[in-house]
Amino acid sequence: MAMQGAADRPRRFEGQCYAESWPLKTAFVISRGARTEARVVVVEVHSGGVTGVGECTPYPRYGESLESVLAEIHSVLPALQRGITRDQLQVLMPAGAARNAVDCALADWAAKASGDGFAGPESLPTVQTLVIAEPEAMAEAALAAGRAGISVLKLKLDRQQILERVMAVRRAAPGCELVIDANEAWSPEGLPALCEKLAEQGVSMLEQPLPVGEDRILGTFRHPLPICADESCHTRADLPKLRGRYDMVNIKLDKTGGLQEALLLAETASAQGFELMLGCMLCTSRAIRAAWPLGERARFIDLDGPTWLAKDVNPLQFIDGRVFWT
């Protein structure tokens, strides 16, 4: 997907935004609760006979709702009509889901208007998420994923039965690489020892074990496996407080406020020694297409959001642990 540079002149756009609800195949269960639908906001921008489309997923954890994101986008539509560049958008709107949808719509418009066509890799690897369930159920899901050719599994965990669930999945899928996402659910007590036990089980990475602001302990012990900042890292401004505590950052366009900041975050984080993960929310394939330019930069890629949908829009193909651009 092409980007407009800082020198591009402002262009006038007509824009609109609307909400969509996409039912899931099964409940998506993490430490904060269960979801049965993906609720997204879509932005369309029109100029010169070309339409660009962007999508975001408002996230209550960050104080966002469909209503708040729609209101934020509506407030910027007059600026789009007067003329705007993507660099100006970064100043006009704060980082978050609303800016992501607008930025991705403008990027999509630029790619279509340029006529350059698609220039990225044909496919990217992606993890497959296993949601929280009893150890036996997670083992069954892991076995099915392994049979489907998936090589990297991401386990959603809360603070209950941590090792039991990991060990059950490891027995069911001995050849799969495992990563864990705690979504801030764990506590500092006993974390160093737990990390050692997870490393003994061959876990390759641990994502956001502690709540934001309660991660001081991460800087006090040797990490036997990389620890990744998700909720703790939104934009480049967060990097200084992550140094010495985290080894990796999870880049999601809904956190960075679009592809523009996401690419800058990837460049800055890499220069500062952080490894990269590319993530997504529950979303349609529109959102995965927007994040595609980051795929080749990341050690771990988590783009399986659309696989949870009962029905997708303009769907990408997910085959044998890879997502294919179609």
Side-chain angles (χ1 to χ4, degrees):
M1 181 175 291
M3 287 187 62
Q4 286 175 297
D8 285 3
R9 62 179 177 82
R11 177 175 287 274
R12 295 181 180 182
F13 293 93
E14 293 296 324
Q16 61 179 331
C17 59
Y18 49 91
E20 293 178 342
S21 178
W22 297 86
L24 306 185
K25 297 174 185 175
T26 59
F28 190 81
V29 185
I30 67 171
S31 61
R32 295 192 186 96
R35 297 178 61 184
T36 58
E37 62 180 357
R39 306 178 73 195
V40 305
V41 171
V42 180
V43 170
E44 296 181 6
V45 295
H46 317 279
S47 182
V50 177
T51 297
V53 182
E55 176 185 302
C56 70
T57 301
Y59 201 34
R61 168 64 181 84
Y62 305 135
E64 298 171 337
S65 66
L66 287 177
E67 294 75 18
S68 70
V69 167
L70 286 167
E72 192 174 350
I73 294 170
H74 276 294
S75 71
V76 80
L77 292 182
L80 293 176
Q81 293 173 340
R82 291 191 298 268
I84 195 171
T85 67
R86 289 177 65 204
D87 285 337
Q88 291 168 342
L89 181 71
Q90 311 306 305
V91 178
L92 188 62
M93 301 182 74
R99 192 177 77 187
N100 175 39
V102 179
D103 183 63
C104 288
L106 293 175
D108 186 46
W109 180 92
K112 292 174 179 175
S114 69
D116 292 338
F118 176 66
E122 178 185 276
S123 69
L124 293 170
T126 180
V127 310
Q128 182 63 50
T129 301
L130 304 184
V131 296
I132 295 173
E134 290 300 313
E136 296 79 10
M138 294 187 73
E140 290 178 7
L143 184 60
R147 288 173 175 166
I150 295 167
S151 60
V152 186
L153 300 175
K154 178 177 177 178
L155 284 61
K156 292 285 190 179
L157 296 176
D158 53 20
R159 63 177 62 193
Q160 306 299 321
Q161 297 180 292
I162 294 171
L163 288 176
E164 292 88 343
R165 286 165 167 158
V166 172
M167 292 172 68
V169 169
R170 172 54 73 208
R171 286 193 297 269
C176 288
E177 189 171 12
L178 304 183
V179 297
I180 290 175
D181 186 3
N183 287 116
E184 304 181 275
W186 296 359
S187 60
E189 291 74 24
L191 182 61
L194 179 56
C195 287
E196 292 287 350
K197 293 177 181 177
L198 294 175
E200 291 171 2
Q201 290 297 315
V203 174
S204 297
M205 183 268 283
L206 172 61
E207 187 178 350
Q208 198 67 46
L210 302 174
V212 173
E214 299 179 23
D215 54 4
R216 181 183 298 272
I217 190 175
L218 297 180
T220 67
F221 67 94
R222 182 191 70 86
H223 297 174
L225 73 172
I227 299 180
C228 179
D230 182 5
E231 286 87 347
S232 291
C233 183
H234 290 239
T235 68
R236 288 169 291 165
D238 295 314
L239 292 176
K241 64 177 181 285
L242 305 181
R243 286 197 292 270
R245 300 183 183 184
Y246 294 92
D247 311 286
M248 181 178 294
V249 295
N250 187 347
I251 300 175
K252 296 177 181 174
L253 270 59
D254 278 314
K255 293 188 303 177
T256 64
L259 181 59
Q260 184 116 319
E261 173 62 25
L263 289 167
L264 292 170
L265 171 59
E267 180 181 353
T268 306
S270 294
Q272 294 183 9
F274 293 99
E275 291 190 284
L276 303 181
M277 178 179 184
L278 175 60
C280 69
M281 304 294 190
L282 287 174
C283 60
T284 77
S285 287
R286 285 179 301 221
I288 303 305
R289 293 177 190 277
W292 206 267
L294 289 154
E296 293 185 301
R297 304 179 182 217
R299 175 181 173 186
F300 292 106
I301 302 174
D302 178 8
L303 299 178
D304 72 339
T307 68
W308 291 87
L309 304 183
K311 184 180 179 181
D312 196 3
V313 58
N314 193 16
L316 296 164
Q317 291 185 327
F318 291 81
I319 304 172
D320 295 335
R322 298 189 71 87
V323 53
F324 289 81
W325 185 280
T326 54

